[in-house]
């Protein structure tokens, strides 16, 4: 099967997802990534997937830089929890301008429609980060264009879905602990 901007994709027999060949993704550092596409076959508006993929592949590092303050808030919250009664944090990050240096960006973004929420297509990236090795960092791009959720990897596409709270719609980072 062919998907625009990805070319030939292969179906994973176990998961039912499609997987692209390795493709450079500028926003994730330009290295080769396998793009995963979930729910494509049965979707009545496949063009939404195409648009999200096109948007995502057009992003550069500035999209992550725009989310750095939210990622830093996540770091601070984790460090506050870990540092209770301790004078030293396991990782010292001076501010939002330094936080991305402590993130290992994922290389298997997943493109999926939010079938339970706003019905938009999202690109979710599971990353590793120096301050939270157990839960890592999830970065989610609404329509593949804008970071709209960061925090521990929980598989949810929005904070409103993660917390079952519609008032969190549009909130990029929300402390969930």
């Amino acid at each position: 099967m062919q998907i625009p901007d990805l070319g030939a994709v292969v179906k994973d027999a176990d998961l039912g997802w499609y997987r692209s060949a390795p493709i450079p993704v500028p926003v994730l550092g330009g290295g080769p990534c396998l793009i995963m596409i979930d729910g494509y076959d049965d979707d009545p508006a496949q063009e939404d997937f195409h648009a999200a993929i096109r948007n995502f592949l057009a992003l550069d590092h500035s999209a992550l830089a725009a989310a750095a303050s939210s990622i830093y808030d996540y770091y601070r919250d984790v460090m506050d929890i870990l540092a209770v009664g301790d004078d030293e944090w396991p990782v010292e990050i001076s501010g939002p301008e330094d936080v991305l240096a402590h993130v290992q960006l994922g290389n298997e973004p997943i493109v999926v429609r939010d079938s339970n929420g706003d019905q938009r297509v999202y690109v979710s990236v599971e990353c590793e980060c120096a301050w939270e090795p157990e839960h890592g960092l999830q970065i989610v791009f609404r329509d593949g264009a804008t970071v709209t959720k960061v925090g521990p990897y929980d598989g949810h596409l929005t904070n409103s879905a993660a917390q079952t709270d519609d008032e969190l719609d549009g909130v990029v980072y929300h402390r969930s602990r």
Side-chain angles (χ1 to χ4, degrees):
M1 167 178 279
Q2 297 277 331
I3 293 182
D5 295 302
L6 296 181
V9 295
V10 224
K11 193 162 194 171
D12 182 302
D14 294 330
L15 299 174
W17 296 355
Y18 286 103
R19 181 184 69 245
S20 75
I23 182 171
V25 177
V27 71
L28 300 179
C33 294
L34 300 174
I35 310 289
M36 309 297 176
I37 305 95
D38 184 16
Y40 184 81
D41 283 334
D42 299 327
D43 197 279
Q46 292 178 341
E47 176 53 40
D48 294 348
F49 281 80
H50 305 164
I53 292 166
R54 187 172 39 257
N55 291 338
F56 185 67
L57 294 176
L59 292 176
D60 60 22
H61 182 75
S62 64
L64 291 177
S69 63
S70 294
I71 296 170
Y72 184 71
D73 289 344
Y74 170 45
Y75 157 76
R76 292 285 308 212
D77 285 346
V78 170
M79 291 300 97
D80 286 348
I81 291 166
L82 294 177
V84 172
D86 194 356
D87 291 334
E88 289 188 37
W89 288 356
V91 179
E92 281 291 332
I93 300 177
S94 59
E97 67 284 346
D98 188 36
V99 74
L100 291 173
H102 300 274
V103 173
Q104 181 179 342
L105 298 168
N107 62 359
E108 292 186 353
I110 300 169
V111 184
V112 61
R113 183 176 299 280
D114 182 2
S115 58
N116 297 320
D118 63 9
Q119 304 298 309
R120 302 201 43 190
V121 174
Y122 289 82
V123 178
S124 177
V125 182
E126 182 177 3
C127 307
E128 293 182 25
C129 58
W131 63 91
E132 178 52 290
E134 184 177 346
H135 299 105
L137 169 67
Q138 180 180 14
I139 304 173
V140 182
F141 300 79
R142 179 179 284 152
D143 301 323
T146 307
V147 174
T148 54
K149 179 180 182 271
V150 302
Y153 190 87
D154 61 11
H156 293 286
L157 299 171
T158 65
N159 279 305
S160 59
Q163 302 301 313
T164 58
D165 183 350
D166 290 340
E167 290 184 25
L168 294 175
D169 188 39
V171 173
V172 176
Y173 172 70
H174 175 72
R175 183 177 186 165
S176 59
R177 300 176 200 194

